[in-house]
Amino acid sequence: MLSLILTLDHRRIEELVNIFINNPSIDVYNEIRRSYINHIYWEEEFLFKEVQDSSSLLPIIKSLEIEHGSMWIILDEIKTSDGGAMREKMESFMRILLEHDGAEEGSVYQYLESLTEEKQAKLILEEIKIATPPASWKCKALS
């Protein structure tokens, strides 16, 4: 269950990157950056801590964390680049992202399938606790 949710989030971010590569836009860039940071925050603060109990995955987790940092740096460089360089750097980001996503899906995410549904649900609830709606959002009765 949880591995599927995370895998679908990978595909969502990859699709945003493709949209940006085909038509660079600051709005799409901002959505990529926000989505990426939210995704890796949850992985590093909740998922990886849960998985580290499985010592065989510890070296993989450390490598994934280093890749997170490398991709974060590339995203920051994109914002300060101009037209062609933005696209080129986003293409580099995508190459790393695809390899990285495959590694996560083939290791850490597979481990999730060994967790009970209750344990997986508790991890999902951690995401719900930190989720924030857009600043302008109001419930239907007030909008």
Side-chain angles (χ1 to χ4, degrees):
M1 165 182 61
L2 184 51
S3 65
L4 177 59
I5 293 167
L6 293 168
T7 297
L8 290 174
D9 197 38
H10 280 170
R11 298 299 88 78
R12 181 182 66 84
I13 295 169
E14 291 163 5
E15 179 59 27
L16 287 168
V17 173
N18 279 325
I19 290 168
F20 181 90
I21 289 169
N22 291 324
N23 187 18
S25 150
I26 193 65
D27 291 335
V28 175
Y29 167 82
N30 287 334
E31 179 63 15
I32 291 166
R33 191 170 191 285
R34 185 195 63 75
S35 296
Y36 175 74
I37 289 171
N38 285 352
H39 185 93
I40 68 170
Y41 170 78
W42 188 84
E43 286 179 342
E44 292 189 8
E45 294 300 320
F46 302 104
L47 174 62
F48 290 175
K49 287 179 179 179
E50 177 67 33
V51 175
Q52 282 180 358
D53 293 338
S54 171
S55 61
S56 66
L57 291 175
L58 194 56
I60 294 169
I61 290 170
K62 293 300 176 197
S63 176
L64 294 171
E65 289 172 341
I66 291 167
E67 290 173 357
H68 285 168
S70 298
M71 289 186 286
W72 188 311
I73 290 168
I74 292 170
L75 280 177
D76 285 348
E77 290 173 351
I78 290 169
K79 186 160 185 153
T80 60
S81 300
D82 58 10
M86 288 176 83
R87 180 178 282 123
E88 189 176 300
K89 287 181 190 221
M90 190 61 83
E91 288 170 348
S92 294
F93 175 83
M94 180 63 130
R95 281 190 297 277
I96 298 167
L97 182 66
L98 290 172
E99 289 291 324
H100 176 85
D101 288 353
E104 282 182 339
E105 292 164 19
S107 61
V108 179
Y109 291 8
Q110 291 300 310
Y111 172 82
L112 291 172
E113 296 304 315
S114 69
L115 299 177
T116 66
E117 284 188 9
E118 180 179 359
K119 190 79 138 173
Q120 291 183 53
K122 285 181 179 179
L123 285 169
I124 293 169
L125 284 173
E126 293 299 329
E127 173 67 19
I128 293 169
K129 286 183 205 175
I130 60 172
T132 54
S136 63
W137 186 86
K138 290 186 180 180
C139 68
K140 291 191 187 294
L142 298 178
S143 53

